[in-house]
Structures are given as C-alpha cells and as structure tokens.
Amino acid sequence: MTERLSTSPKISVVMSVYNDEQYVAAAVRSILAQSYGDFEFIIINDGSTDRTGEILGSFHDQRLRLFGQENRG
C-alpha cells in the first residue's frame, strides 16, 4: 500500500512515533516547514494508544504518507 508522488521525490524523511501526542504536531510542522521541498515524509504510527493518530490525521500535505501498525517497538 505505497502511495507515490506523481514525480519521485529526491529525499524520503522517515519518522516513527509511539504515544507522543505532546510533541508529534511540532515535529511534523518542523519537517514540513523546511525550505527544501522535494521530499516525501513517511510517518509510521507504531500502535499509539493516545491521540497521536488523530493528530497525525489532521495534517493535509501531499508530501505526507501515514502508515499505522500494531505496536512492535
């Protein structure tokens, strides 16, 4: 279930997150605000049980790719 941009980005930024509702929005905003824009931002929600998934779902940016899985550590 990999979604690709219409043209391949030059850089992939990958972040995993688990129960980090306090900081995840700031982390995502920081990456999306970079001056270099030719990237995809892959975020793996590692089975968070707090509001992390809800917060991640509130972002609407074509560079963002969200994936969820059961917690694996």
Side-chain angles (χ1 to χ4, degrees), residues 56-72:
L56 291 173
S58 71
F59 286 93
H60 303 286
D61 189 294
Q62 68 178 1
R63 298 168 294 179
L64 195 58
R65 306 286 176 254
L66 299 176
F67 296 90
Q69 66 182 29
E70 290 185 28
N71 181 258
R72 297 184 193 159

Side-chain angles (χ1 to χ4, degrees), residues 8-65:
S8 296
K10 291 189 177 194
I11 294 174
S12 294
V13 177
V14 181
M15 179 175 84
S16 64
V17 63
Y18 175 72
N19 286 349
D20 205 12
E21 67 181 309
Q22 185 176 356
Y23 302 105
V24 71
V28 171
R29 282 194 301 269
S30 176
I31 297 297
L32 294 176
Q34 297 300 306
S35 59
Y36 184 81
D38 192 10
F39 65 89
E40 64 180 348
F41 187 11
I42 301 165
I43 303 175
I44 299 131
N45 181 1
D46 190 26
S48 295
T49 57
D50 63 0
R51 292 184 53 245
T52 296
E54 178 184 335
I55 293 165
L56 291 173
S58 71
F59 286 93
H60 303 286
D61 189 294
Q62 68 178 1
R63 298 168 294 179
L64 195 58
R65 306 286 176 254

